[in-house]
Amino acid sequence: MTAVRVAGVGLTHFGRHPDRTGRDLFAEAALAAREDAGVPREDIEALHYGNFMGALAERQAHQGPLVAEAAGLSCPATRYEQACASAGVAARQGIKDIRNGENDVVLVGGMERMTNLETAGVTESLAIAADELYEVRAGITFPGAYALMARAYLSQFGGSREDLAHIASKNHHNAVNNEYAQYQREVTVDEALDSPPVAEPLHLFDACPITDGASALVLVSDEYAEEHDLDAPVAITGSGQGGDKMALQDREHLAQTPAATKAADEAYADAGRTSDDVDVAEVHDCFTIAEVLALESLGFYEPGEAIGAARRGETTRDGDRPVNLSGGLKAKGHPVGATGGSQLVEMTRLLRGDHPNSDVVADAEVGLTHNAGGTVASAVVHLLEVVN
Amino acid sequence: MVDTGYDEWIEAIGAGEGYYLDCPEDHGSLPPRRTCPHCGALELAERPLPESGTVETFSVVHVASPSFADDTPYATGVVDFGPVRLTGVIRGIEFDDLEVGTSVGVGVEESETTGEPVVVFRPR
């Protein structure tokens, strides 16, 4: 099978850029990825681009061709909307393109502009990732939906708000030296515990922030990399996607995310790997409880066991399998439509040695990214490996 | 906006005549629905919603969307009625007394913010 190499990666700073247009944000990330890859503009054959709420936030739909133009590309460009997994599915489509022989060079990534809206507007916009009839009209917000999962988890398996606070503290610690992160500052467990409630049992510091930003990667076929003598030591070797019922009330489980398990199983089989092979992971921690659910769905822990992983030091930077060395969505920020791409960017940098936290995982060979949509009605998992 | 299927359903809940959809394999679901989401059966029949359910999970929401801004703080929950679960606002109980397993009935009341109908659970 045609291997898929990551030839180049680019990010904007994740944070508040309310005065910058989405097209400008994506252009910055795309140009950085192109420069990192050293691939001629005219060789890029397709753009797969993730965006969630642009039609609300910027009154701009049909963003594919718009951002392609901004990035200096003249190729077919398609926007993918899968809520918070938009860039994950966009990247997956680009990977499929290369694997099926349709293209040798593609640009993938995503963008979200959020801070130009008031908090109420963002809350309303994010809520449309839930079931409009049966969840939004019933007063469910996005934090509220994850709060329902958190309560269900704590009720079924045990664990405490303090366990969750350790996840927040860990991820903030990891973001301190990540120049792209929204919050390069420490948060103590007590600070997290004492932050105001948003949707109990979740408090402010259990939640990711509202973020603007963009991510981009140039993906190439193995043949193209060899032919052009590219320095591209990281390959995407596994890709998987899973789905579940849209509304929480229709799910078999309220405290498990089987869509992520399906995505992971597919990605592991694709790469010929198991969860034991994964050295380092970037998982979708839009809320602290989401990291717990992810670690269990990915096979790193049995159901009910991951709640204490950060507190026990197993997923911290000096643990056996560090999770969210970028700072995660929690501290790095969560520009919804860009996030899945940013996880691939961060993992590529971690594995090839040019991430500020690469020294934490100097011997790592296999990395995993997990990108979830909504309350994990959809999930995309990728495996990345150092291939030379 | 008219939402055929849903509007009739919420009116029925409000009239105390709530129902769910049942397929030949006894999978429960809610309208609008043309096929069973569990087995794909096309023969769906309306059955009366059980009179009470139990709170399976809940949250007290402090930061709401604009359409619930004046309702805060309010409790939301997912309630298990057996064949189906419903999501709604929980009223008529102190937040501190609310717990997983609380028995509730279902009705339709108004959002304090917009006056729109909302599925509401009250202890019974």
Side-chain angles (χ1 to χ4, degrees), chain A residues 134 137 139 148 198 200 249 251, chain B residues 3 31 57 62 74 85 87:
Chain A
Y134 282 102
R137 292 191 195 188
L148 294 176
V198 174
E200 294 177 71
Q249 65 185 21
R251 306 257 179 94
Chain B
D3 292 300
T57 185
H62 295 265
Y74 60 94
R85 296 195 195 102
T87 307

Side-chain angles (χ1 to χ4, degrees), chain A residues 68-316:
Chain A
E69 179 187 327
L73 304 179
S74 53
C75 61
T78 309
R79 170 191 159 208
Y80 296 79
E81 189 277 300
Q82 195 86 344
C84 321
S86 296
V89 293
R92 179 169 153 78
Q93 199 58 44
I95 291 161
K96 287 183 174 184
D97 259 15
I98 291 174
R99 284 179 152 193
N100 69 22
E102 186 168 334
N103 294 133
D104 280 307
V105 186
V106 300
L107 190 76
V108 302
M111 184 287 298
E112 208 70 64
R113 186 181 179 199
M114 303 172 75
T115 72
N116 58 320
L117 299 176
E118 299 291 328
T119 299
V122 176
T123 303
E124 186 168 60
S125 300
L126 289 174
I128 66 172
D131 183 319
E132 207 282 321
L133 292 181
Y134 282 102
E135 293 187 313
V136 179
R137 292 191 195 188
I140 298 295
T141 60
F142 206 57
Y146 270 92
L148 294 176
M149 298 168 85
R151 178 90 60 188
Y153 185 99
L154 299 177
S155 171
Q156 184 176 349
F157 298 118
S160 65
R161 282 196 58 230
E162 189 169 351
D163 290 318
L164 297 175
H166 274 272
I167 296 168
S169 182
K170 166 181 77 73
N171 292 349
H172 272 274
H173 183 62
N174 288 339
V176 166
N177 59 359
N178 183 353
E179 72 273 25
Y180 295 109
Q182 186 162 3
Y183 292 124
Q184 292 180 250
R185 73 173 186 90
E186 303 276 1
V187 164
T188 66
V189 170
D190 285 343
E191 264 183 286
L193 285 171
D194 293 342
S195 63
V198 174
E200 294 177 71
L202 300 180
H203 287 230
L204 185 62
F205 283 6
D206 286 299
C208 63
I210 294 164
T211 313
D212 307 310
S215 60
L217 301 93
V218 176
L219 305 181
V220 301
S221 66
D222 220 5
E223 292 80 1
Y224 183 94
E226 279 181 29
E227 200 176 308
H228 293 78
D229 198 24
L230 296 185
D231 179 23
V234 172
I236 297 173
T237 57
S239 178
Q241 183 175 347
D244 202 347
K245 302 281 192 297
M246 179 74 166
L248 284 174
Q249 65 185 21
D250 297 326
R251 306 257 179 94
E252 187 178 351
H253 303 284
L254 294 179
Q256 294 180 43
T257 53
T261 304
K262 290 176 202 156
D265 287 347
E266 188 181 348
Y268 289 140
D270 192 21
R273 295 286 189 178
T274 73
S275 58
D276 289 342
D277 296 324
V278 176
D279 299 308
V280 56
E282 288 285 316
V283 307
H284 196 98
D285 60 326
C286 49
F287 298 93
T288 47
I289 188 66
E291 180 165 312
V292 176
L293 298 171
L295 297 181
E296 294 175 4
S297 295
L298 296 168
F300 299 158
Y301 291 88
E302 293 296 316
E305 299 293 322
I307 182 77
R311 181 173 48 75
R312 294 190 297 265
E314 294 158 7
T315 52
T316 53

Side-chain angles (χ1 to χ4, degrees), chain A residues 4-11 32-33 36-37 91 95 108-109 178 180 215-220 231-238 280-283 325-326 332 339-359 361-370 382-388:
Chain A
V4 177
R5 301 276 191 138
V6 183
V9 297
L11 290 175
D36 187 38
I95 291 161
V108 302
N178 183 353
Y180 295 109
S215 60
L217 301 93
V218 176
L219 305 181
V220 301
D231 179 23
V234 172
I236 297 173
T237 57
V280 56
E282 288 285 316
V283 307
L325 283 172
S326 69
K332 189 187 66 184
T339 289
S342 77
Q343 295 174 316
L344 292 166
V345 171
E346 298 278 7
M347 186 54 69
T348 299
R349 296 169 70 223
L350 282 163
L351 291 178
R352 72 185 189 185
D354 60 336
H355 191 281
N357 284 328
S358 282
D359 59 337
V361 285
D363 299 325
E365 292 182 355
V366 180
L368 178 148
T369 63
H370 157 273
H382 285 113
L383 286 176
L384 293 85
E385 299 189 43
V386 180
V387 289
N388 63 30

